[in-house]
Amino acid sequence: MSGTPRLDDTHDVALRSWVESAHADAHPDASAVGTDFPIQNLPFGVFRHEFEERPHLGIAIGDQVLDCLEATRAGCFHALDPAVRDALQSWSLNGLMALGRTDARAVRGVASRMLRVGTPESDAAQKLRDRILVPMARVSMLVPAEIGDYTDFYASMFHARRVGALFRPDNPLLPNYKWIPIGYHGRASSIVASGSPVRRPSGQTQKGADAPPTFGPCANLDYEVELAIWVCGDNAIGEPIPIARAEEHLFGLGLLNDWSARDMQSWEYQPLGPFLAKNFVSTVSPWVVTLDALEPFRLPAFVREAGDPQPLAYLDAAADRARGGFGVTLEVSLLTAKMRDGGMPPHRLSQSEASSLYWTPAQLLTHHASNGCNLRPGDLLGSGTVSGPTDNSRGCLLEITRRGADPMTLPGGETRTFLLDGDEVIMRGWCERPGAARIGFGECRGTVRG
Ligand code: CA
């Protein structure tokens, strides 16, 4: 992990793109904060054209997608290694993730020069505009990588403490929490892209402490707002990844909704942890914001409370303490069927900060590999629900309604304890600070169906 910021010409706040929609001031709505995808962002994703089955790699720019397959065929990436050009013409991001961050940075550099005004590369690219750019509105976004393995962590102490207090008021945080990043192995097969429907799961639940369980539809369906952490490179079985090298394996970040069936979870979770309450579907945002794009938004790791243990040596590095955090703001909104029918806007449920996570992404990755477990390109790590200390930074309904004890009232007068059929959960994320161009993550949406 390098302790020095790697800011370069791709981060320059003064850059202008010839793609008009890539500028905040291109939006007529004065209240809009602008596009999530200015030229300083350039996230990677995988999309499908309207009338073609074959997925293409893409790079988001304003309301357009740079088609990496067509751009490579047209020679736009001729300066890159053949292995990189092959990866750009493949069906998923795994190839680029296998090559690693240095090659992804090279692609970013070329794409930036192609899409900004005033470079020889952009003069050539503009002539190819109709071939290499496609409107986002005309493509379907897919899960960006073939995910071999998915692991979900529990890295927000504020979430862990609030949830723990519901079950153990006297002892909300278990004694291991501040020593070891808690996680469990999730399931990759049911990870879907934003916009995919979410079927309400059925399972075993117990209605009362001594009642026999019954099987039926989940009654306490919840969401969890999390960071999606995409892995690149790999390590051999038996070869841990030292924390000093952890960020070489962090390709980028996205959004993750870890849909959770709370009633099923509370019956099944002991003694081995979450199982069917968590693996029926998980939704990811389609755009992967690279660590290079996030460079201007790095923050110190979470500052632990006085008296907390310091991380053990294998999880501790000066560079990680100095800038292992990410200044990403996460927002969750709810749009019910009634609100949608009445033309009402989504209602914001929470806003929280990834920088408040107790463990950094580098610590999560290093811990995961510390026993010699091999991580592979395209693996997905969930941060765990990102919650903060305040009431408006609670990242799931379990926290907001205190396990259903405190129903919330929505602007149209409806109340909710957990999600009902027709409810759409909309997650957004963004980074902003003075002196840097604001970048966003796009959306992670899902509507509950019966
Ligand atoms: Ca979770």
Side-chain angles (χ1 to χ4, degrees):
M1 180 186 310
S2 166
T4 39
R6 285 205 202 89
L7 291 179
D8 59 30
D9 60 303
T10 66
H11 301 98
D12 186 347
V13 72
L15 284 186
R16 302 288 292 178
S17 174
W18 48 269
V19 180
E20 300 79 14
S21 59
H23 304 117
D25 51 16
H27 290 253
D29 177 358
S31 69
V33 289
T35 178
D36 275 349
F37 308 118
I39 191 164
Q40 293 85 357
N41 193 350
L42 303 177
F44 291 100
V46 178
F47 71 95
R48 198 177 267 150
H49 282 283
E50 278 172 312
F51 303 111
E52 190 188 2
E53 271 301 296
R54 185 211 196 286
H56 295 212
L57 263 59
I59 294 173
I61 177 77
D63 61 7
Q64 305 287 307
V65 181
L66 173 67
D67 184 334
C68 292
L69 176 66
E70 286 300 329
T72 305
R73 286 175 173 167
C76 299
F77 290 108
H78 69 274
L80 299 176
D81 287 345
V84 181
R85 296 203 301 270
D86 285 347
L88 290 174
Q89 298 177 79
S90 68
W91 293 38
S92 75
L93 278 176
N94 295 67
L96 194 56
M97 289 168 162
L99 291 170
R101 284 192 51 196
T102 302
D103 285 319
R105 186 179 305 125
V107 176
R108 170 184 169 84
V110 174
S112 175
R113 289 190 293 279
M114 279 169 57
L115 293 167
R116 73 177 76 158
V117 293
T119 66
E121 294 95 325
S122 77
D123 293 341
Q126 284 185 71
K127 295 193 178 78
L128 295 163
R129 177 181 185 131
D130 292 344
R131 178 173 175 193
I132 63 174
L133 283 188
V134 54
M136 275 185 195
R138 286 187 23 217
V139 302
S140 306
M141 296 305 302
L142 309 178
V143 174
E146 291 169 27
I147 303 167
D149 282 292
Y150 159 52
T151 300
D152 197 25
F153 284 94
Y154 198 53
S156 165
M157 180 192 65
F158 299 108
H159 171 69
R161 194 158 65 188
R162 223 180 257 117
V163 171
L166 293 172
F167 297 88
R168 299 175 303 275
D170 298 333
N171 182 28
L173 268 191
L174 291 169
N176 57 3
Y177 189 84
K178 293 179 175 178
W179 293 96
I180 186 169
I182 302 294
Y184 67 95
H185 282 123
R187 187 158 182 91
S189 68
S190 50
I191 296 174
V192 301
S194 176
S196 302
V198 177
R199 289 282 298 274
R200 179 178 298 274
S202 284
Q204 278 199 29
T205 59
Q206 191 190 30
K207 299 291 189 287
D210 298 318
T214 56
F215 184 89
C218 160
N220 294 352
L221 185 60
D222 201 356
Y223 63 83
E224 293 186 334
V225 62
E226 305 196 12
L227 274 187
I229 302 164
W230 293 95
V231 174
C232 63
D234 56 9
N235 60 303
I237 293 181
E239 298 286 340
I241 299 170
I243 185 128
R245 307 199 66 169
E247 293 206 354
E248 295 171 23
H249 294 268
L250 296 177
F251 187 82
L253 303 179
L255 310 173
L256 168 68
N257 185 343
D258 178 23
W259 303 93
S260 299
R262 301 300 186 192
D263 42 358
M264 292 161 57
Q265 185 179 356
S266 58
W267 171 238
E268 76 174 8
Y269 86 102
Q270 289 180 315
L272 287 186
F275 182 36
L276 302 182
K278 295 279 193 176
N279 71 3
F280 51 96
V281 69
S282 311
T283 307
V284 290
S285 60
W287 293 109
V288 182
V289 178
T290 62
L291 251 66
D292 292 305
L294 292 162
E295 196 62 41
F297 306 102
R298 300 302 300 268
L299 293 172
F302 181 74
V303 178
R304 298 182 167 209
E305 294 166 8
D308 279 7
Q310 289 307 305
L312 295 179
Y314 79 101
L315 292 174
D316 192 21
D320 189 55
R321 263 181 270 152
R323 52 195 316 274
F326 290 83
V328 183
T329 302
L330 301 169
E331 180 190 84
V332 183
S333 301
L334 176 66
L335 184 67
T336 70
K338 185 180 171 191
M339 292 164 70
R340 190 182 311 112
D341 292 345
M344 296 175 65
H347 174 64
R348 192 172 82 184
L349 298 180
S350 71
Q351 188 172 306
S352 55
E353 300 293 331
S355 56
S356 72
L357 292 170
Y358 199 79
W359 301 99
T360 65
Q363 287 174 317
L364 299 179
L365 184 128
T366 290
H367 180 65
H368 202 316
S370 63
N371 64 345
C373 171
N374 56 322
L375 305 180
R376 295 178 296 185
D379 279 1
L380 178 64
L381 311 182
S383 63
T385 308
V386 181
S387 294
T390 61
D391 277 356
N392 66 7
S393 60
R394 295 175 291 186
C396 61
L397 291 177
L398 179 67
E399 291 179 64
I400 293 173
T401 69
R402 299 184 62 252
R403 210 183 176 188
D406 297 336
M408 63 175 176
T409 303
L410 299 170
E414 294 176 276
T415 61
R416 284 291 182 281
T417 51
F418 291 99
L419 297 170
L420 298 184
D421 294 348
D423 286 354
E424 182 174 28
V425 177
I426 305 158
M427 297 177 175
R428 292 196 177 84
W430 64 87
C431 305
E432 56 188 349
R433 70 159 177 80
R438 176 196 179 280
I439 62 172
F441 285 69
E443 293 181 335
C444 182
R445 285 177 179 257
T447 303
V448 178
R449 311 259 187 243

